[in-house]
Amino acid sequence: MTTTQSGSRPGRATAPRTLAEELRARSDQALTGLLRARPDLLNPVPGDLTQLAARLSSRASALRALERLDRFTLQVAEALAALPDGGPDTAVRNLLTGPARVKPHPAADPADREAVTAALPAALTELREQALLWGPDSALRLVIAVREALAPSAANPGRTGLGPTLAEATVGMSPARLQQLLTGAGLPPTADPVTAVAALGALLTDRRRCAALLAEAPEPALALLERLVWGPPTGTVPDAARPVTADEVRSPVEWLLARGLLLPSSAGSVVLPRELALHLRGGRSHRTVEPAPPALTATTAHDPQTVDAAAAGQAHTAVATVEELLEAWGLTPPATLRAGGLGVRDLKRAALILECPEPTAAFWLELAYTAGLLAPDGEADERWAPTPGYDTWRQQPTADRWAHLARSWFTASRVAALTGTPDGKGRTRAALGPELDRTLAPVVRRAALTLLADLPAGSVAGAEALLPVLRWQRPLRGGPTGPDGRDLRDQLTGWTLAEAELLGVTGRGALAGPARALLTGADPAPLLEPLLPQPLDHVILQPDLTAIAPGPLLTPLAQALALCADVESKGGATVYRFTPESVRRALDAGRTAADLHTFLGRHSRTPVPQPLSYLIDDVARRHGVLRVGAASSYLRCDDPALLAEVIADKRAAELRLRLLAPTVLAAQAGPETLLGVVRQMGYAPVAESAEGDVLITRPDSHRTLPRTAPVPLPDGPPRPDATLLAAALKAIRAGDRAATAVRRETVAGPAATVQQSGPARADLRQLPRTAAADTLAALQTAVLLGERMWIGYINAEGLSSQRVVDPVKVEGGFVTAYDHLSDEVRTFALHRITGVAEVDED
């Protein structure tokens, strides 16, 4: 097909421009937008626009771009793929809505012609900007790879449900069989197969003649066509390729085969030609055309203040939950599986610590991991433990801590809900394992939360309401389908809403105010801070050896209280219980009885109960009387009677104690075992060093080495920044100038390729060739005259390139010149220049 290009004489037909020429005509701003939207095109940077066009035409690049189209833009591309190349935009509109005067098929959904007409220009613009389409509106052309991916066929009807054209379906059919089809359809015979196919195609595209032919068909044949009209366009027929004539018809299928209304697609199947399917559909390519996304309506609504309050309460709980988990794992870090991840038993223990189901515990674990607060310690016997970053995070205000968790969750590619599901080999995926990353996860999170943000404040919309819109926005980004028949996007949407509620991003199902700031990239902490309960600096001590915290405590107070008391219950108020073991834990950490009395007296709103004071003094009086050291280990005490009591106790038999001196007992067990057994016997020993000093143990001492948070898997190549885009555009433009430069006749030399006469376009696969002496003379002349030169150059890595340069100086075997490709002054080795040619400036 030929079109009239701008700048040519009226009425003069010229060949359509190529994709490279279309790119060459784009402004720098338009090319920058293309490179920003398609970052895969920059790996590596194309040498010129011809290479860029070739890369755009690759199947992998085209499929990546198609995945990012909305449903209507994709339907426009599918309609273009069903049309002959070079069709006008009016043909696309008619294919989407059906011709204005043609009765639509009764099974087709009504098409809003005005809405389609209004939305079509934007869709075509999007396809052009993505370089999936080029040409004027009167001659639209899809990139070859896009047409190949979307063109309907018998094996792949696609979303249109159409089959191949009659010309495609009759490829390889004998001339004799084509004559039989002409006769069956009532057309005059022709000896030329091409003319025969054209005549049959013209019959099927002529609505009046095709309707007259179908009016002669028996009702069962029409019913059969009706079953194939919306796809799939194929059906199974025994011996489909047999040459049935109109005189030999014995069944509805044979009636259609004899007239070319059905054509064989294989030995046992037939296909409905695309032209006939479009006739039966009333000219529609799609049963349902969606020029706009489905309307998103809220299922219910709450007061925005109530939503924010509920979300803030859950945000505080989320921070406390992560802290509680990591505090416990700092004391007893679980082992890392050999293949990575966490064992099933350790996951169950984490669920018991947090008093929640295992899937919820897996979510908190993954949240801590993605936030960089939890990591393997890297030791030979590797264990999961808090990172040094956890200690920094723990000292921050609650709002800042939540903001860090929320940002990490929002951008993470890890999906905690996949824990416990089977992988491709039937093995169960472990929490914190290496198989939980999904690149689609952050995309779905952002899309789902953005839709919630578009609703009025306080509005609630579940996954059932969000999914139709999400499917319209990216119809090809559904991901793999699971055993339940739902694709990954459907699952991620439900998981996103559940996790958002757990984390406090939503409250009662509606998006909270701080989360709206999170979506825009602002800091949500200032919005969350006034909504959080203010931390308290006091507790209420009771005579039953408990302390009640009526609200959240200041972090230092909570940490100090957890050291000397055990949490008995959690909720709106937290109850701590003092026991001999908890008091001894504080004494082991270096506290004294006086320290504990002072601490409790300073932070209690009530006087310290007498039973609690007695408990502290009693444990402190017995604490450290016995000393444990290494003999293999020993037990020493200044009171010989107490040692005699210990050695006479039957519970100490496993230690195999032996009296070395009146104040020293030797044991065959190690110090840790000796310390534990003696404590189980009711004593309160302490460990000491080889110098006799008391060893102070800290229950939170286990930390990993400094670790960084795991980087989310990128959804395709990373987006280039402005600097890279500017540099890439300069390189592509300079390479294109070199590749398309009009040159004068090159100087002939050994192994030279001489341009014969007149200007010639550079061959990208061939560098200019001139003799070394001629090369040197030409460059020296260019320096004197200030001429621009076109050179071929091979760098130290053996990579060849073509460059347009302005020589400045030639000396010492090197040429100093301004290089238009790199946009800087560079030095070129003369022996690496393959040849030169002058650039025609005319």
Side-chain angles (χ1 to χ4, degrees):
M1 178 178 290
T2 59
T3 58
T4 302
Q5 301 293 335
S6 60
S8 61
R9 296 179 181 177
R12 179 181 177 183
T14 60
R17 293 196 296 190
T18 64
L19 178 57
E21 291 171 334
E22 288 281 342
L23 295 175
R24 197 166 290 123
R26 288 194 179 193
S27 65
D28 287 355
Q29 183 179 2
L31 274 180
T32 301
L34 170 63
L35 297 176
R36 182 182 293 110
R38 306 276 297 275
D40 56 291
L41 301 173
L42 294 176
N43 189 21
V45 175
D48 52 41
L49 290 175
T50 302
Q51 290 185 14
L52 178 62
R55 199 169 295 176
L56 284 167
S57 300
S58 68
R59 182 175 178 84
S61 178
L63 291 179
R64 278 193 292 267
L66 288 174
E67 285 183 347
R68 286 162 174 77
L69 299 181
D70 61 57
R71 179 165 294 170
F72 181 68
T73 306
L74 183 62
Q75 287 181 334
V76 171
E78 290 168 342
L80 282 164
L83 289 170
D85 198 23
D89 59 343
T90 53
V92 179
R93 184 183 66 246
N94 289 336
L95 203 58
L96 292 171
T97 63
R101 298 181 181 179
V102 175
K103 182 179 179 181
H105 191 277
D109 295 329
D112 188 339
R113 179 175 292 272
E114 292 185 359
V116 171
T117 302
L120 183 59
L124 294 176
T125 300
E126 175 67 15
L127 292 173
R128 284 194 178 98
E129 289 179 351
Q130 295 285 335
L132 303 175
L133 173 74
W134 84 92
D137 288 345
S138 59
L140 300 172
R141 298 179 181 277
L142 285 174
V143 171
I144 295 176
V146 177
R147 178 170 291 277
E148 291 176 348
L150 298 181
S153 64
N156 182 25
R159 295 174 178 267
T160 62
L162 295 170
T165 63
L166 186 137
E168 294 168 347
T170 55
V171 170
M173 186 173 289
S174 67
R177 179 56 184 161
L178 289 173
Q179 296 305 315
Q180 292 176 348
L181 295 181
L182 288 174
T183 303
L187 298 174
T190 175
D192 181 14
V194 176
T195 306
V197 171
L200 288 170
L203 171 64
L204 297 182
T205 54
D206 187 322
R207 298 201 63 83
R208 183 181 58 80
R209 294 165 59 201
C210 187
L213 178 60
L214 291 175
E216 302 174 1
E219 284 297 327
L222 295 177
L224 179 60
L225 292 177
E226 189 64 25
R227 292 170 56 187
L228 302 178
V229 64
W230 290 108
T234 57
T236 303
V237 175
D239 196 13
R242 63 187 183 277
V244 181
T245 63
D247 298 333
E248 302 171 349
V249 168
R250 298 180 180 178
S251 66
V253 173
E254 290 182 348
W255 193 94
L256 297 171
L257 286 171
R259 291 159 176 80
L261 303 182
L262 286 181
L263 294 169
S265 59
S266 67
S269 63
V270 293
V271 65
L272 181 67
R274 188 185 306 170
E275 294 87 346
L276 180 57
L278 291 175
H279 173 86
L280 296 171
R281 293 180 178 192
R284 293 271 295 271
S285 59
H286 297 77
R287 178 180 291 189
T288 302
V289 181
E290 300 178 73
L296 176 62
T297 56
T299 56
T300 186
H302 300 295
D303 179 56
Q305 295 182 349
T306 303
V307 169
D308 289 348
Q314 191 57 38
H316 181 272
T317 301
V319 172
T321 302
V322 172
E323 182 176 357
E324 180 183 4
L325 175 64
L326 296 184
E327 285 292 314
W329 278 22
L331 295 173
T332 56
T336 303
L337 295 178
R338 183 179 303 176
L342 185 70
V344 175
R345 292 182 180 178
D346 291 317
L347 178 60
K348 291 181 178 179
R349 292 190 186 102
L352 290 175
I353 292 172
L354 301 179
E355 300 178 0
C356 66
E358 291 177 25
T360 305
F363 167 71
W364 297 121
L365 289 171
E366 288 291 341
L367 181 62
Y369 176 53
T370 55
L373 309 179
L374 176 69
D377 59 12
E379 302 293 337
D381 185 15
E382 195 170 57
R383 294 179 175 275
W384 290 97
T387 65
Y390 165 68
D391 295 314
T392 303
W393 173 83
R394 188 174 54 172
Q395 301 302 323
Q396 295 174 348
T398 301
D400 292 333
R401 287 193 280 172
W402 179 84
H404 179 69
L405 295 177
R407 290 192 195 97
S408 301
W409 169 79
F410 188 60
T411 59
S413 59
R414 296 185 62 80
V415 181
L418 292 175
T419 300
T421 60
D423 61 10
K425 298 181 179 179
R427 296 174 299 192
T428 302
R429 297 185 178 96
L432 301 175
E435 299 180 345
L436 302 186
D437 278 289
R438 297 293 183 273
T439 58
L440 193 59
V443 178
V444 172
R445 287 194 194 106
R446 174 172 288 278
L449 296 182
T450 301
L451 289 179
L452 289 178
D454 292 338
L455 294 173
S459 300
V460 179
E464 297 77 9
L466 297 179
L467 279 173
V469 185
L470 293 177
R471 291 170 184 150
W472 186 91
Q473 290 177 342
R474 295 291 185 270
L476 298 183
R477 292 299 304 276
T481 302
D484 57 353
R486 303 172 63 209
D487 60 28
L488 181 60
R489 175 178 49 204
D490 292 6
Q491 295 173 319
L492 285 172
T493 303
W495 295 337
T496 293
L497 296 180
E499 292 172 356
E501 193 72 16
L502 277 176
L503 188 54
V505 172
T506 59
R508 297 191 176 184
L511 196 67
R516 294 177 183 271
L518 183 70
L519 279 173
T520 61
D523 185 7
L527 296 177
L528 179 62
E529 183 68 35
L531 303 174
L532 291 172
Q534 294 301 312
L536 305 177
D537 62 351
H538 65 273
V539 295
I540 301 174
L541 296 177
Q542 301 194 111
D544 61 349
L545 299 181
T546 60
I548 298 176
L553 299 177
L554 292 171
T555 299
L557 174 58
Q559 293 172 354
L561 191 60
L563 184 63
C564 59
D566 298 324
V567 176
E568 189 171 78
S569 65
K570 296 177 293 184
T574 304
V575 178
Y576 295 85
R577 177 166 294 279
F578 295 90
T579 65
E581 291 76 15
S582 67
V583 174
R584 185 177 64 236
R585 183 172 65 232
L587 297 175
D588 286 342
R591 308 294 192 275
T592 64
D595 293 337
L596 294 179
H597 285 302
T598 303
F599 165 73
L600 294 175
R602 183 169 62 249
H603 293 288
S604 176
R605 286 293 178 89
T606 59
V608 179
Q610 192 176 53
L612 180 56
S613 297
Y614 286 167
L615 173 65
I616 295 173
D617 293 338
D618 183 55
V619 174
R621 183 172 57 253
R622 294 183 293 113
H623 185 266
V625 176
L626 295 176
R627 302 294 180 94
V628 173
S632 149
S633 64
Y634 64 84
L635 186 67
R636 74 177 182 88
C637 180
D638 294 335
D639 185 358
L642 183 56
L643 288 182
E645 180 182 337
V646 171
I647 199 172
D649 196 317
K650 293 182 179 180
R651 291 175 293 178
E654 64 178 288
L655 301 175
R656 290 180 290 175
L657 298 174
R658 182 168 59 89
L659 187 64
L660 293 182
T663 58
V664 180
L665 288 177
Q668 299 300 315
E672 293 182 358
T673 303
L674 177 59
L675 193 65
V677 171
V678 175
R679 282 178 173 172
Q680 290 178 4
M681 294 167 60
Y683 301 97
V686 296
E688 69 178 14
S689 66
E691 292 77 19
D693 298 326
V694 175
L695 294 176
I696 296 176
T697 58
R698 295 181 56 83
D700 57 347
S701 59
H702 196 84
R703 292 290 185 269
T704 69
L705 294 175
R707 294 283 191 270
T708 57
V711 179
L713 290 183
D715 183 28
R719 291 193 174 274
D721 57 18
T723 303
L724 177 58
L725 285 172
L729 182 62
K730 286 183 179 179
I732 294 172
R733 287 292 194 192
D736 196 57
R737 286 194 297 269
T740 59
V742 179
R743 308 185 300 279
R744 300 171 187 168
E745 184 177 346
T746 59
V747 181
T753 300
V754 183
Q755 302 293 341
Q756 297 300 323
S757 61
R761 185 175 300 276
D763 186 351
L764 289 178
R765 295 166 295 181
Q766 183 169 330
L767 301 177
R769 297 281 182 177
T770 55
D774 296 329
T775 298
L776 178 60
L779 290 172
Q780 289 173 337
T781 302
V783 172
L784 292 174
L785 301 180
E787 292 184 342
R788 182 168 296 173
M789 302 297 293
W790 179 77
I791 69 171
Y793 191 72
I794 299 178
N795 63 14
E797 288 77 25
L799 300 177
S800 60
S801 61
Q802 302 176 81
R803 300 169 182 269
V804 174
V805 299
D806 295 331
V808 178
K809 181 174 59 176
V810 180
E811 64 179 11
F814 292 92
V815 180
T816 302
Y818 175 77
D819 180 17
H820 290 265
L821 179 61
S822 59
D823 197 18
E824 63 182 359
V825 176
R826 295 190 56 184
T827 300
F828 300 92
L830 271 172
H831 70 278
R832 295 189 180 277
I833 298 178
T834 63
V836 297
E838 296 179 5
V839 177
D840 193 346
E841 301 290 349
D842 296 335

